Amino acid sequence: MGHGVPELVLQSNGQTWTLDPSRPYTLGRDPQGDIVFDDARVSWRHATVSFNGRSWVIEDHGSTNGTFVQGQRIQQRELGPGSAVHLGNATDGPQVTLSGAAAVAAQPQQQPYAAQGAGAGWAQQPQQPDRQQPQQAVQQPSIPQQQGPDGGAGAPPVYGDRSPTTFHQFALGRVMRIGRALENDLVVSDLQVSRNHAEFHATPDGRMEIRDLGSHNGTYVNGQPIAKGGSALLGPNDIVGVGHSTFRIIGDRLEEFVDTGEVSFSARHLTVTVDGGKQILKDVSFGVPEKSVIAVIGPSGSGKSTLLKALTGYRPANQGEVLYDNRDLYKQFAELRQRIGLVPQDDILHKELTVKKALKYAAKLRFPADTTAAEREARIDEVLRELKLDIHKEKKVTSLSGGQRKRVSVALELLTKPSLIFLDEPTSGLDPGMDRDVMQLLRGLADDGRTVLVVTHSVAELALCDKLLVMAPGGAVAYFGPPEEALNFFGYDTWADVFSAFENYRDYDWAGRWKGSQHYQMYAADIDAVAPQSVQVPPMQAMRPPKPQGWMSQFGTLVRRYVSVIVSDRGFLALMVILPAVLGAVSLLIDADRGLLPNPPRANGQIVPNGTATTVLLILAVGACFAGAANSVRELIKERVIYERERATGLSRSAYLMSKVFVLGMITVLQGLLVGVIGFASRELPEEGLVLGGATLVELSLPIMALGFTSMMFGLIISSLVKTAEKTMPLLVMFAIIQVVFTGCLFALHGSIGVNEFSYLMPSRWAVAAAGATLDFNKISPPETAGDTDPLWDHTVGAWGMDMAALIALGVICGFFVARFLRRHEPEVMRK
């Protein structure tokens, strides 16, 4: 080994080991390991001690209870003479002390990461001390440590060059099965993984292949999903993804890397161009260290929301790349999306439900179909305890404070254990106390082993963040670095002064000033030094996320959730009954004792028109139209944020839409029946109907029920098109008025060129025509010109059947358009 670096002497519990620099040593409870600890707090394969060519390094391998140096939990740390390490507990866990000439070799000159070689690992340069971490015994450079492309010091150039969490030996000719169930050869305790997920097989020519076993969340090769139940041959550099674990075959063994949350993240040269060539995001680059909180601030129009969409893959940048632990997020979005949590500005939950019930339905939709209720319940309770929400779990979300509601939104995202969490304006509308509470929550999430990026307008609690990204007007970076140095960088005393300068000097080259500064050299200059993971991946294409649940399972869960929301809203329940009852009762004010039969002919043989019949039908039709559309006109717009997030996690668009159609359809049909019964039951009706014989009341109510259903579908179209819920009411009124005009009861439509054809698009036209065919409107309300009768009102089974078929067809066509419009509210990466 090189130049006076002898063996390391390691001591623990009275035992001494002399370590050879030429090989790594494993620490843990595994009897087959190199250094064995009989303590339940120590993981089976807890950590590794190795020499990296320059210094001795200890690396934690995702242990349950952690590895600690000087009271601080560490992932990886260089070891100096006299170092002491605790395993499993910072104070009384098994202690390992190191002695001997283990001094760190002379500090190398700083150089681009690409020139350091893959063997450098994580310890090629000493890490910066953590935000709250005391200085280590290891000598530190006199200038601030430059950060790698992902923000961490000396990140590996290839994702797979992290030391594996564990190894698995392949037996010749044997199949290795991966899954959550204990009977698998390789058990992955991750609820994102199916009970029997995938298998590794050796092919006759000596190669290996991975076979998916019908998994719910998919099996991935280099970030691309293989077909459900399909297989893929593996090359020497290919990486297989299963839940939060990735695998790589090296010779006759399988290396496993578990994503425990401590991942790096970086953006390189992100540029977003909109129609007309205008750039709303300009060459944004920054690197995010592991276990850190990054705040993004800037004035309106600085591209913060655009940046968030680009970083999450919802709206990929036109140029540039986003690297998740050195893996290209855009090209491997199908797999990596499961490891990213997004909390939008609006709450992503139904406020009418209790906290526990809201999380229960979310877990049911996001976890594989083979997870048991007990497993989901245990994960929900775990998250509630972590976020201190367990005391509020039986409260309705709407009764919580703003800060508590934001915690519930975060809890919903934490169910699937994301490593990277994005939040958009989480403190918007909160008072200073709640603002601090939310930011302290985010600080705790990062300290527990996650990376958090928050877009915010609040500057009061920036000191809790590790890094600050300041966006200038026009979408360029004005500063990236420690928050405590930012005001000094701009030369102002307050952030109000900084934002005023942005507004007053909009044409100033803020990005140029940043790139010419010493801060840029310290924190962002070498962002391009390392190439991303070098595996073959196809260009970005439309991503259809695997569905954790089957279509019917999703549909059933969505229906139950929607019914729970409706039942919890007593005001809506009362309105559903009162509205049709009032609308039906209004029709009774029109000649209450008058029947709906044709008047007997006069002495001269002329039939006297029965104006009561057409007026009553007009009122009932308008009532059904209004009630049906009013039920649905807000449904999609009020859940848009929820739909966008759930769609990105594997929700079926058709299952979501059909759950709405089914529940609202049942409600609307019953309302139509109530309107029809109230409006028709007390009046004299024909003894025989056209289709149902003596059941004339039912036959007349059917068009009213179908009209309510089709109007409800029109309401869904309105709800899918508008941008705010406030715009739905004017459109609802306009829809109802148009239906009044085109019923055919106010003036004759047949024979009016253009107007009659346009009326065929109106559901009220066909519903009134069907009821009119039963009542024989051509006799009740004969045309002024003899022989110019309306064919849609013909007193025949054929005319009635055509009217009803057209009415239902309009509803189906509306459903098709709603599905197309819903597509616009999905992540763009899913629509390419």
Side-chain angles (χ1 to χ4, degrees):
M1 228 40 211
H3 305 292
V5 182
E7 298 84 2
L8 178 71
V9 178
L10 185 150
Q11 295 175 310
S12 179
N13 197 26
Q15 293 183 278
T16 301
W17 295 266
T18 302
L19 309 187
D20 184 346
S22 65
R23 57 167 292 225
Y25 291 81
T26 59
L27 286 66
R29 287 189 295 111
D30 184 0
Q32 305 300 317
D34 299 300
I35 301 170
V36 183
F37 295 87
D38 186 18
D39 190 301
R41 294 171 294 180
V42 178
S43 295
W44 191 255
R45 188 174 184 277
H46 196 102
T48 299
V49 175
S50 61
F51 188 82
N52 68 0
R54 186 176 61 83
S55 59
W56 286 94
V57 177
I58 186 166
E59 179 181 8
D60 185 276
H61 283 299
S63 64
T64 302
N65 296 313
T67 303
F68 300 85
V69 175
Q70 294 187 4
Q72 297 292 319
R73 183 167 183 168
I74 57 102
Q75 172 68 23
Q76 202 153 13
R77 183 60 49 85
E78 290 187 343
L79 301 172
S83 296
V85 178
H86 283 89
L87 306 180
N89 187 282
T91 54
D92 62 351
Q95 180 175 334
V96 177
T97 56
L98 304 119
S99 59
V104 179
Q107 291 288 341
Q109 293 182 349
Q110 293 204 2
Q111 55 183 322
Y113 291 94
Q116 293 175 2
W122 277 90
Q124 181 67 20
Q125 299 185 39
Q127 290 188 344
Q128 290 190 74
D130 292 339
R131 189 178 57 87
Q132 299 174 327
Q133 184 173 320
Q135 291 282 353
Q136 304 299 314
V138 180
Q139 178 185 354
Q140 297 288 344
S142 59
I143 62 171
Q145 177 71 38
Q146 289 194 18
Q147 292 189 342
D150 55 8
V158 180
Y159 173 80
D161 282 348
R162 282 187 185 274
S163 295
T165 307
T166 187
F167 303 95
H168 308 278
Q169 201 71 28
F170 275 121
L172 190 63
R174 187 175 166 217
V175 173
M176 181 175 285
R177 176 174 288 188
I178 304 172
R180 204 174 73 249
L182 295 178
E183 65 265 17
N184 289 284
D185 303 297
L186 203 164
V187 179
V188 180
S189 56
D190 179 357
L191 289 183
Q192 294 286 82
V193 177
S194 298
R195 297 188 67 81
N196 296 295
H197 197 104
E199 289 178 342
F200 284 100
H201 284 258
T203 60
D205 60 0
R207 299 178 66 185
M208 296 297 295
E209 72 173 359
I210 181 73
R211 297 181 185 175
D212 184 81
L213 300 177
S215 63
H216 299 281
N217 276 326
T219 304
Y220 302 83
V221 176
N222 301 326
Q224 304 303 308
I226 62 176
K228 195 168 187 175
S231 63
L233 285 171
L234 300 175
N237 295 320
D238 288 338
I239 291 177
V240 175
V242 173
H244 284 77
S245 297
T246 49
F247 301 89
R248 189 172 63 173
I249 297 171
I250 303 295
D252 63 346
R253 72 178 184 179
L254 184 69
E255 294 185 346
E256 179 182 4
F257 305 81
V258 179
D259 186 344
T260 57
E262 298 176 351
V263 298
S264 59
F265 185 74
S266 62
R268 297 185 184 180
H269 308 293
L270 298 182
T271 299
V272 174
T273 306
V274 294
D275 296 338
K278 180 183 178 182
Q279 289 186 344
I280 56 176
L281 208 62
K282 298 178 181 178
D283 194 28
V284 175
S285 298
F286 63 93
V288 178
E290 297 178 1
K291 295 174 61 175
S292 58
V293 179
I294 289 76
V296 180
I297 66 172
S300 299
S302 59
K304 300 188 298 296
S305 295
T306 303
L307 175 63
L308 189 66
K309 291 178 181 177
L311 294 176
T312 56
Y314 270 46
R315 200 287 188 194
N318 301 99
Q319 300 173 29
E321 56 190 4
V322 177
L323 301 183
Y324 176 102
D325 228 20
N326 248 36
R327 301 175 68 183
D328 192 312
L329 175 66
Y330 292 166
K331 292 181 178 178
Q332 304 188 37
F333 184 75
E335 176 187 354
L336 296 180
R337 69 181 177 85
Q338 302 180 49
R339 310 194 193 175
I340 295 175
L342 174 61
V343 181
Q345 183 173 346
D346 297 321
D347 293 325
I348 48 175
L349 33 85
H350 293 86
K351 298 177 183 178
E352 300 85 358
L353 301 179
T354 64
V355 172
K356 184 76 175 282
K357 189 170 284 189
L359 294 181
K360 184 185 79 170
Y361 286 121
K364 178 70 173 169
L365 288 171
R366 295 193 182 193
F367 288 136
D370 60 6
T371 53
T372 64
E375 288 175 314
R376 293 193 297 269
E377 191 91 3
R379 179 59 189 153
I380 291 170
D381 290 340
E382 183 182 348
V383 170
L384 289 174
R385 285 194 301 271
E386 180 180 359
L387 298 184
K388 298 179 176 61
L389 285 169
D390 43 344
I391 59 174
H392 302 297
K393 63 182 180 180
E394 298 304 331
K395 295 180 182 177
K396 284 189 177 183
V397 175
T398 188
S399 69
L400 302 178
S401 67
Q404 290 168 342
R405 280 204 304 272
K406 193 58 62 178
R407 281 178 177 265
V408 179
S409 290
V410 172
L412 191 150
E413 289 300 310
L414 290 186
L415 288 175
T416 54
K417 296 187 177 180
S419 302
L420 190 60
I421 303 177
F422 293 91
L423 300 99
D424 187 11
E425 300 285 0
T427 60
S428 177
L430 302 184
D431 62 46
M434 289 184 180
D435 181 359
R436 175 180 297 177
D437 179 60
V438 171
M439 293 302 291
Q440 288 176 338
L441 164 68
L442 304 185
R443 178 72 259 168
L445 293 178
D447 292 339
D448 287 342
R450 304 176 184 92
T451 301
V452 180
L453 188 144
V454 53
V455 173
T456 180
H457 276 115
S458 173
V459 295
E461 304 297 333
L462 294 180
L464 289 170
C465 302
D466 298 285
K467 291 290 187 292
L468 175 64
L469 176 68
V470 183
M471 301 293 292
V477 176
Y479 173 83
F480 177 73
E484 61 269 17
E485 298 177 19
L487 285 175
N488 184 51
F489 172 83
F490 287 108
Y492 291 101
D493 295 327
T494 68
W495 282 108
D497 294 331
V498 176
F499 279 44
S500 294
F502 283 149
E503 182 63 31
N504 297 332
Y505 306 102
R506 295 187 72 88
D507 296 330
Y508 182 75
D509 186 10
W510 295 101
R513 179 179 185 272
W514 156 243
K515 290 182 179 178
S517 68
Q518 182 182 6
H519 279 77
Y520 177 80
Q521 297 300 320
M522 290 160 54
Y523 300 115
D526 53 359
I527 196 74
D528 299 314
V530 179
Q533 177 192 10
S534 55
V535 295
Q536 294 297 317
V537 292
M540 191 170 183
Q541 55 189 344
M543 193 281 295
R544 294 181 180 272
K547 297 178 177 58
Q549 305 279 330
W551 192 94
M552 281 303 298
S553 178
Q554 285 195 4
F555 173 74
T557 301
L558 290 167
V559 166
R560 288 193 296 274
R561 182 177 71 179
Y562 192 24
V563 170
S564 296
V565 170
I566 291 174
V567 170
S568 301
D569 190 346
R570 295 181 180 177
F572 183 68
L573 278 175
L575 190 62
M576 283 192 309
V577 176
I578 294 172
L579 181 62
V582 170
L583 292 172
V586 167
S587 69
L588 299 179
L589 301 177
I590 310 300
D591 291 338
D593 58 346
R594 187 75 182 273
L596 302 183
L597 301 172
N599 287 316
R602 290 180 179 173
N604 59 8
Q606 290 184 336
I607 294 179
V608 180
N610 183 353
T612 300
T614 54
T615 305
V616 167
L617 204 54
L618 171 65
I619 293 173
L620 296 181
V622 171
C625 283
F626 191 84
N631 286 340
S632 62
V633 75
R634 287 176 176 263
E635 283 307 306
L636 300 183
I637 181 63
K638 76 179 184 182
E639 289 188 1
R640 183 161 296 171
V641 175
I642 298 174
Y643 172 73
E644 287 177 356
R645 184 69 193 114
E646 290 183 342
R647 178 71 175 133
T649 60
L651 179 69
S652 165
R653 184 195 311 140
S654 59
Y656 175 78
L657 177 56
M658 287 306 297
S659 71
K660 295 291 185 188
V661 172
F662 178 77
V663 177
L664 289 174
M666 293 292 291
I667 292 171
T668 306
V669 165
L670 291 175
Q671 287 179 325
L673 179 61
L674 182 59
V675 169
V677 168
I678 293 175
F680 292 127
S682 62
R683 299 182 185 273
E684 186 182 358
L685 303 175
E687 294 182 0
E688 287 289 329
L690 276 172
V691 180
L692 301 181
T696 311
L697 176 61
V698 176
E699 186 176 316
L700 286 172
S701 297
L702 283 176
I704 302 299
M705 295 157 68
L707 174 59
F709 178 85
T710 303
S711 298
M712 179 270 295
M713 298 300 294
F714 270 92
L716 288 178
I717 286 185
I718 295 173
S719 194
S720 65
L721 286 174
V722 296
K723 293 185 177 180
T724 61
E726 289 74 19
K727 294 179 180 178
T728 58
M729 285 300 104
L731 293 173
L732 172 62
V733 173
M734 184 178 71
F735 171 77
I737 291 174
I738 291 175
Q739 299 311 306
V740 172
V741 174
F742 289 99
T743 54
C745 296
L746 296 180
F747 59 91
L749 292 171
H750 180 64
S752 301
I753 305 299
V755 176
N756 187 42
E757 285 71 22
F758 182 74
S759 73
Y760 294 161
L761 300 176
M762 303 299 147
S764 63
R765 170 76 160 114
W766 298 101
V768 169
T774 297
L775 294 173
D776 198 359
F777 264 17
N778 282 324
K779 283 187 177 180
I780 288 179
S781 183
E784 295 181 1
T785 304
D788 195 16
T789 56
D790 191 334
L792 300 187
W793 289 359
D794 284 347
H795 189 59
T796 63
V797 174
W800 188 91
M802 181 184 71
D803 294 338
M804 291 296 292
L807 184 56
I808 294 170
L810 276 178
V812 173
I813 293 170
C814 286
F816 171 79
F817 280 108
V818 174
R820 298 301 297 174
F821 295 146
L822 270 178
R823 189 170 176 268
R824 301 184 312 161
H825 305 299
E826 297 171 3
E828 187 168 321
V829 69
M830 299 168 64
R831 297 186 275 123
K832 280 188 173 292

